[in-house]
Structures are given as structure tokens and as C-alpha cells.
């Protein structure tokens, strides 16, 4: 299989794991990078052996590049993915697909018209943790799924991130930042979403940065920062979702699926690995039990979604972190916020299939750089 040639747009904090993926997986070949801060792009290029640093416009116009990889702040994803498609490139973006449902719809329409492929993070659903949970559900270990809870909270990224502005601007907030991990996993585990209802709150108009180098600076908040939702799936199961930047501490369970025959404690969807636990109705001891993870996904790390996309371009591989899935999650999040404003359930319109489970042994082309982990 030929490597997909990649151009990375955005060389901030998240970019390192993608540059590392370019050196780890034989299916990927990073040939250029771009950033508004040219010095930052040049530093990353030097560190990871990327041959060229280009302005974004030149990167998108370069005929050598197959896939544009968008790693910029969330509010810019829609414009950059659309520009990549207009330039004839396939595109992969960090989550979310776009800041609004309308932007997401336009992306899918352009991709379909031009015969191009769009991929969207998170790709942690491709790892051994969530895929083992998927196996347990498919094997009816907990019976028929009845419901789910998915809770994530902290007191904001301004306490650790050097440039947290984007988390509180359009395309940000805890739902759009952390919600994709849980919603993408829920669709992978339970299937497509039928409807959502939500509530939202913004207790602080500003947030004070306590991380370096901008300690003491105050930034405006233009999105909800405490968001809850009821999620109804097409199979009849219902889920409760909480994402918040306004919780100092919590003892809530993180992620659970409830079935007619037991409960599944799901692995952290922000990681590739992890050990699921089950509590089954026919267990005479009535105890939680760890499930042995028998899957082996060599070199699993962020950037695996790029391998997923690359495989789909060069074979009949089912694209799992697809634009359709990314848009389905975006429509759900957009619907949660719409519901919070309107006080009514929102029915989802996008057609989305439950992604197939990932074959054990994926990916199959880990290069020498992947042997270290």
C-alpha cells in the first residue's frame, strides 16, 4: 500500500502526536506543515524531519499532498476543511468537524460532490479499550443495552493550557471539546442517535488564566461551560451526558453502559487502552470483574485516525472515523445546545451507520518508530 502524503495545518500543542504518528506508521508520510507562527512551524519541521514549511495557501495548492490535516482551534475547522476540499484534498481534522451544523453539512456536501474523503477525531475509538467494550456488547455479555451514563468535568483548561482562549470561543466549551470522545464512543457502542435534549449554563463571563506564560490574563467566555443532555438512541437505549468546565471535584462514575443482564464500566474514551469491568446478573459473588483485553493494536496512539483514512483511500477498508460519524456527533452537540435554548427535544436528521468493529491487529504497518511503545 502506498503511503498517503500529508500536510499538517496548525503546529500547536496537539500537533506533536500527529508528527510522531507520521514517523510511526508506514501508511503516513508528512511532507509539509504550516502555522500562522512560521517559527513554530519551522521548529516542528526541524524536530520531526518534515521537509517543507509552507503558508497554508501554498500547502493546500501543493499537488504532492493527498490529505490536509487540520489541527487549528476548533472555531477554524470548518473553514479550513472546506478550503482543503475546494483545493482537491482529502481532509482530516481534530474534533469537532466544525463549529456549527451548517458548516458540517457544507463540508459533507462538498466532499460528496468532489469524491473526496473526510476524517474526524477522536480516533481513540479505534483502540483496544473501546473496541473490547464493543466486543462485550456484541457478544451480549450485558444483554440488550438499556441506557448509559457519560460524565466528564473539571474546572477549565485555563489552569494548564498555555493558550486556552479557543476552549471558550465558538466551537469550544466542554461539550464540543470533550463531548466528542463520549458521543463518538456511544455511537460506536450503541449505534446512531435519534434525538437529544439539553440544558446549558454559563456561570462566568470571564476566566482567569493561571497557566504560564499568560498567568493573570482574563479571557471572555462566549459558550456554555456546564452542559447536560439526555440522548436517545435508535435502538431504544437512553443516555445521560454531562460535560462541564465548572466542577471543582466529583465522585460520579465516568462512563457506564447498562444492559438487561449487567453493567459495563467503559474505558476512558480519551485513551486508546484501558481495562473494562463488568458486573453481571449471573455472578454469584455479585462483584465487579475486570475483563481481559485480548486485542492487540500495535502502536496505538493519536493519529490512528489518519491511518484509518489512509487505508480507506487505498483499499476497501471501512472508514470508521468518517466525516459521516463526525457530522452525526456534531449534529447531536448542536442539537443539545438548540434544545437548551428552545426547551424541546431535537430530532437528528443525519443518516449514520454504527461503525464496524475494528479487526484485531489494526494497524498492520507500524514502522520502526512504533517499536518503542
Amino acid at each position: 500500500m502506498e503511503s498517503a502524503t500529508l500536510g499538517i495545518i496548525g503546529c500547536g500543542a496537539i500537533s506533536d502526536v500527529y508528527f510522531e504518528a507520521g514517523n510511526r506508521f508506514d501508511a503516513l508520510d508528512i511532507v509539509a506543515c504550516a502555522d500562522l507562527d512560521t517559527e513554530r512551524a519551522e521548529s516542528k519541521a526541524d524536530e520531526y524531519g518534515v521537509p517543507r514549511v509552507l503558508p497554508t495557501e501554498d500547502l493546500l495548492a501543493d499537488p504532492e499532498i493527498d490529505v490536509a490535516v487540520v489541527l487549528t482551534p476548533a472555531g477554524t475547522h470548518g473553514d479550513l476543511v472546506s478550503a482543503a476540499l475546494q483545493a482537491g484534498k482529502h481532509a482530516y481534522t481534530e474534533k469537532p468537524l466544525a463549529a456549527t451544523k451548517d458548516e458540517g453539512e457544507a463540508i459533507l456536501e462538498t466532499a460528496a460532490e468532489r469524491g473526496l474523503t473526510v476524517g474526524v477525531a477522536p480516533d481513540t475509538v479505534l483502540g483496544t479499550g473501546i473496541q473490547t467494550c464493543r466486543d462485550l456488547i456484541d457478544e451480549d455479555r450485558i444483554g440488550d443495552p438499556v441506557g448509559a451514563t457519560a460524565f466528564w468535568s473539571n474546572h477549565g483548561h485555563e489552569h494548564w493550557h498555555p493558550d486556552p482562549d479557543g476552549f471558550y470561543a465558538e466551537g469550544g466549551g466542554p461539550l464540543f471539546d470533550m463531548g466528542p470522545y463520549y458521543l463518538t464512543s456511544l455511537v460506536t457502542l450503541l449505534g446512531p442517535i435519534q434525538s437529544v435534549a439539553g440544558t446549558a449554563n454559563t456561570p462566568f463571563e470571564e476566566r482567569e488564566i493561571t497557566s504560564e506564560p499568560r498567568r493573570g490574563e482574563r479571557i471572555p467566555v462566549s459558550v456554555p461551560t456546564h452542559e447536560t443532555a439526555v440522548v436517545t438512541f435508535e435502538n431504544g437505549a437512553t443516555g445521560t451526558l454531562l460535560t462541564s468546565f465548572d466542577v471543582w471535584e466529583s465522585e460520579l462514575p465516568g462512563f457506564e453502559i447498562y444492559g438487561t443482564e449487567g453493567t459495563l464500566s467503559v474505558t476512558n474514551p480519551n485513551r486508546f487502552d484501558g481495562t473494562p469491568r463488568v458486573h453481571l446478573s449471573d455472578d454469584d459473588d455479585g462483584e465487579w470483574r475486570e475483563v481481559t483485553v485480548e486485542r492487540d493494536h500495535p502502536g496505538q496512539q493519536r493519529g490512528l485516525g489518519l491511518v484509518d483514512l489512509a487505508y480507506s483511500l487505498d483499499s476497501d477498508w471501512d472508514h470508521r472515523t468518517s466525516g459521516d460519524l463526525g457530522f452525526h456527533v456534531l449534529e447531536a452537540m448542536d442539537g443539545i445546545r438548540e434544545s437548551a435554548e428552545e426547551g424541546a427535544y431535537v430530532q437528528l436528521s443525519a443518516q449514520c451507520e454504527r461503525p464496524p468493529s475494528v479487526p484485531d491487529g489494526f494497524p498492520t504497518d507500524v514502522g520502526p518508530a512504533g517499536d518503542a511503545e
Side-chain angles (χ1 to χ4, degrees), residues 41-58:
E42 290 174 345
S43 175
K44 297 296 183 184
D46 289 342
E47 181 177 358
Y48 294 103
V50 177
R52 288 179 295 153
V53 174
L54 300 172
T56 298
E57 297 80 4
D58 292 351

Side-chain angles (χ1 to χ4, degrees), residues 242-255:
L242 164 67
T243 60
S244 181
F245 286 159
D246 296 306
V247 174
W248 285 109
E249 194 53 74
S250 172
E251 294 183 340
L252 287 170
F255 197 2

Side-chain angles (χ1 to χ4, degrees), residues 321-345:
T321 54
S322 66
D324 287 340
L325 175 57
F327 178 73
H328 189 63
V329 168
L330 174 62
E331 186 182 18
M333 297 188 298
D334 188 86
I336 289 167
R337 288 189 175 170
E338 178 184 342
S339 171
E341 293 178 359
E342 302 296 332
Y345 273 85

